Amino acid sequence: MAVWLLTPPEAAPLAFDELDATERRRADAFRLPRDRTLYVAAHIALRRLLAGYLGTSARELEFARAACPRCGGPHGRPVLRDAGPGTPHFSLSHSRGAVLVGVARAPVGVDVERLPRPERVDVCRSALHPFEQRELDALPAPDQPARFARLWARKEAFLKGTGMGVGGWTSEVYLGEGGPGTPPRPDGWSVLDVPCGPGHAAAAAMRGPAPRTLTHRLPPEAVLVGGRIPDPGRVRPAGVRHVLDADHARGDPDARDALDAREEELS
């Protein structure tokens, strides 16, 4: 799995003509210029990244929706139309000032969240799993927005990866810190925290094991007219950590060290 982080350019000529008619209509519907710029930059980044993996033109890509796993309707995960064997899976997320793209060999979901205001946490905490709510309540009030954002990013990444999306079932899924007495996490999925700066929280989820995950920072000029997606091997890596189970970590020195590092980052 590869995860790509982008800070969109503030004011520059974006490659708007690479978007399809649906994307252009959605872009034009934004009232605020900054929201329109974020949406356009995110979709250009996705198109150029996928085109690079497939060896094609960004303009030639056509998107569709997989079947919803809950009802079978045509509103599941975004996919490439007429995708054949070996076509990469992908996911896109953007929040003010940040874009996150995930590309993998198996179904994948990513999410990036701007840290919420404390009052927003109070309103939305009921959407968390009851055990996640307990973990949140155990923290000092100033630390709760960052933890909430990280929990929600994990949750939304997983639900996007499955194709279910966010709905009334968010409180049924546990993706907290683990430990004695906590519920099991979703079976068959790898969930990872993606460091992305102090103002946001981000996560990625992939069906099956994700033993090697590369995280790259995409330069803002990559989405400009005439810009290019750089070779992944030449992009500065940014760290990524698995969401580890605390019980497993106790018996595994390497896992315990990674868990300690993750907890230090989250605190």
Side-chain angles (χ1 to χ4, degrees):
M1 176 167 64
V3 181
W4 297 79
L5 290 161
L6 168 70
T7 300
E10 294 183 2
L14 297 171
F16 189 74
D17 65 336
E18 294 184 6
L19 304 184
D20 63 23
T22 299
E23 290 168 318
R24 294 180 192 183
R25 284 196 301 271
R26 290 175 178 170
D28 289 339
F30 286 101
R31 280 191 314 108
L32 298 178
R34 70 185 181 196
D35 294 337
R36 182 180 186 273
T37 296
L38 178 64
Y39 175 89
V40 172
H43 283 256
I44 292 170
L46 174 64
R47 282 180 168 273
R48 288 185 170 180
L49 282 167
L50 290 176
Y53 282 106
L54 294 169
T56 187
S57 165
R59 292 183 180 87
E60 295 177 4
L61 298 177
E62 295 185 23
F63 297 103
R65 289 276 184 172
C68 171
R70 294 182 72 89
C71 69
H75 48 259
R77 294 184 301 108
V79 295
L80 287 168
R81 191 179 301 278
D82 301 324
T87 301
H89 298 263
F90 63 90
S91 183
L92 171 66
S93 178
H94 49 82
S95 183
R96 187 176 301 175
V99 173
L100 188 64
V101 179
V103 182
R105 65 182 183 276
V108 61
V110 299
D111 187 58
V112 60
E113 297 285 336
R114 192 180 186 191
L115 300 192
R117 297 186 299 274
E119 56 269 25
R120 182 69 175 170
V121 175
D122 291 337
V123 170
C124 297
R125 69 174 60 235
S126 61
L128 298 176
H129 188 281
F131 277 81
E132 294 171 342
Q133 294 182 46
R134 295 181 193 178
E135 294 171 9
L136 189 67
D137 292 339
L139 294 174
D143 297 336
Q144 292 185 10
R147 179 64 64 86
F148 177 89
R150 192 170 295 276
L151 285 168
W152 192 259
R154 294 174 186 170
K155 194 179 297 285
E156 188 156 345
F158 167 71
L159 292 171
K160 288 170 69 175
T162 64
M164 291 190 295
V166 175
W169 44 85
T170 57
S171 62
E172 302 172 9
V173 179
Y174 176 74
L175 284 166
E177 304 309 300
T182 57
R185 296 191 181 88
D187 187 42
W189 283 81
S190 299
V191 181
L192 309 94
D193 292 328
V194 179
C196 59
H200 294 81
M206 175 181 162
R207 190 172 69 190
R212 185 169 184 263
T213 299
L214 301 177
T215 306
H216 309 287
R217 292 197 179 277
L218 200 59
E221 57 269 23
V223 296
L224 302 183
V225 172
R228 298 180 61 187
I229 298 295
D231 184 332
R234 298 184 179 182
V235 182
R236 181 170 65 86
V240 64
R241 296 191 177 96
H242 283 267
V243 179
L244 299 171
D245 187 299
D247 289 337
H248 172 72
R250 285 192 183 87
D252 183 338
D254 293 335
R256 186 172 58 247
D257 291 343
L259 178 64
D260 292 342
R262 176 179 54 76
E263 290 179 339
E264 181 179 350
E265 178 188 340
L266 292 175
S267 62

